[in-house]
Amino acid sequence: MMDLNLSPAADTDLIKDGTEATFMADVVDASQTVPVIVDFWAPWCGPCKTLGPMLEDAVRAAKGAVKMVKINADEAQQIVGQMQIQSLPTVFAFFKGQPVDGFQGALPQSEIKAFVDRVIKAGGGEAPGESLNEAVTVADEMLAEGAAQDALDTFSAILGEDPTHAGAYGGMVRAYIALDQLDAAEGHLNGAPIEISKTPELEAAHAQLQLARQAANAGPVAELQAAVDANPDDHQARFDLALALQANGDTQGAVDQLLTLFGKDREWNEGAAKTQLFTIFDALKANDPIALNGRRKLSSMIFA
């Protein structure tokens, strides 16, 4: 097991309330050594109440690589004028006493994390998102090499650090699938945080779980191939053959059979061939040649 160094660190002094009187010390002086994010807010600002806590969470997760100062704009009109702030919330990041990044309005959590990562990199530090992404890559390699339990443990550790890391969350589902723990995979997938439930990583994991469920009930390839050879218009046999091929690792063969079935009768069984094709494509990486070529062929058949 790799050492992810994911132990929590104290966040004392990472986040503080600032004023015009303390701005020089809290922001300009403090940013000489570490980037400081300044959140301009006001009690009447609805979006501020959502943005502020998410920004604080991202700063805490950085474990000292960045600090945060919250300033009530209503009580800091001089600074608001100097910074030409016209709407709230407005966020600026300072390093070496100068603004280096910023944004206005509320952002989703993923974009807030990306902003904090940019600020940390601007200050010469290592963004926590980068180290976690590297850990996900290592866990993916473990999974590809057959060390599914080690991969599962690593993904779990990453999620302990960032419960909304889509790559780690999807990876944990895939690890459960590799361990043939399909119910655990489904339970984990169903419990995904809402903010990542529609990400490509989780959509792919869901498709892979569907294929794994189908594989458990797939028939013998040889018998189904013989049935299709005997009657090329036996659509059910061809569809079942595609499932069997997929279950045996022949994804290209499964796609070919489904494309043939779609060409013969695209409406058969409520469009089952197209639905199954999209499930396979979603389970593959976006740049996988089988997915790219398969989508291209399907599109040309749909619009022919």
Side-chain angles (χ1 to χ4, degrees):
M1 278 292 295
M2 64 178 293
D3 180 9
L4 295 176
N5 192 26
L6 299 179
S7 59
D11 61 1
T12 305
D13 201 39
L14 288 181
I15 302 167
K16 60 173 60 177
D17 292 308
T19 65
E20 284 188 338
T22 65
F23 187 84
M24 184 63 68
D26 290 343
V27 178
V28 177
D29 293 344
S31 70
Q32 297 300 321
T33 55
V34 63
V36 177
I37 292 173
V38 184
D39 176 22
F40 290 94
W41 67 282
W44 48 262
C45 169
C48 297
K49 298 174 183 177
T50 301
L51 176 69
M54 290 195 295
L55 196 52
E56 291 181 29
D57 287 343
V59 169
R60 289 191 184 95
K63 302 187 185 305
V66 64
K67 294 185 177 182
M68 177 178 170
V69 175
K70 300 180 290 183
I71 294 181
N72 184 339
D74 288 347
E75 299 173 355
Q77 289 299 307
Q78 184 176 347
I79 296 176
V80 168
Q82 290 174 345
M83 301 297 297
Q84 298 182 336
I85 296 172
Q86 298 179 346
S87 64
L88 297 178
T90 289
V91 176
F92 281 103
F94 286 77
F95 186 59
K96 300 293 186 183
Q98 299 295 321
V100 294
D101 206 338
F103 63 87
Q104 291 183 334
L107 294 179
Q109 188 174 44
S110 60
E111 292 186 33
I112 291 173
K113 289 181 179 179
F115 168 74
V116 173
D117 284 353
R118 289 200 311 271
V119 172
I120 294 171
K121 291 179 68 175
E126 181 182 18
E130 289 186 348
S131 60
L132 292 183
N133 289 339
E134 291 172 3
V136 168
T137 299
V138 171
D140 283 336
E141 292 172 355
M142 292 177 183
L143 194 55
E145 294 168 358
Q149 186 60 56
D150 287 343
L152 181 69
D153 294 340
T154 305
F155 286 130
S156 179
I158 297 167
L159 291 175
E161 176 72 5
D162 180 3
T164 60
H165 195 296
Y169 211 97
M172 199 160 180
V173 174
R174 291 185 286 107
Y176 276 128
I177 293 172
L179 291 167
D180 199 28
Q181 298 179 23
L182 302 188
D183 289 342
E186 185 171 3
H188 186 67
L189 194 58
N190 290 339
I194 187 66
E195 59 265 38
I196 63 170
S197 61
K198 298 299 181 183
T199 58
E201 292 89 347
L202 266 70
E203 294 286 1
H206 181 263
Q208 289 167 11
L209 179 58
Q210 284 184 275
L211 295 177
R213 292 286 193 197
Q214 293 170 348
N217 299 310
V221 171
E223 291 183 14
L224 292 167
Q225 183 66 64
V228 170
D229 291 342
N231 181 7
D233 291 326
D234 186 340
H235 298 335
Q236 186 64 59
R238 189 179 297 278
F239 185 82
D240 291 343
L241 173 59
L243 298 186
L245 290 169
Q246 177 66 39
N248 282 272
D250 186 1
T251 301
Q252 184 63 66
V255 169
D256 291 343
Q257 292 296 335
L258 291 166
L259 287 171
T260 298
L261 174 54
F262 184 80
K264 286 178 172 291
D265 187 351
R266 64 182 60 191
E267 300 300 330
W268 176 79
N269 197 14
E270 299 181 347
K274 184 172 74 171
T275 299
Q276 183 66 15
L277 280 167
F278 280 130
T279 297
I280 292 175
F281 297 154
D282 288 345
L284 298 171
K285 293 182 178 179
N287 61 350
D288 189 294
I290 295 177
L292 292 174
N293 294 331
R295 289 184 187 276
R296 189 179 305 115
K297 290 178 181 178
L298 180 60
S299 295
S300 66
M301 295 172 72
I302 291 174
F303 298 109

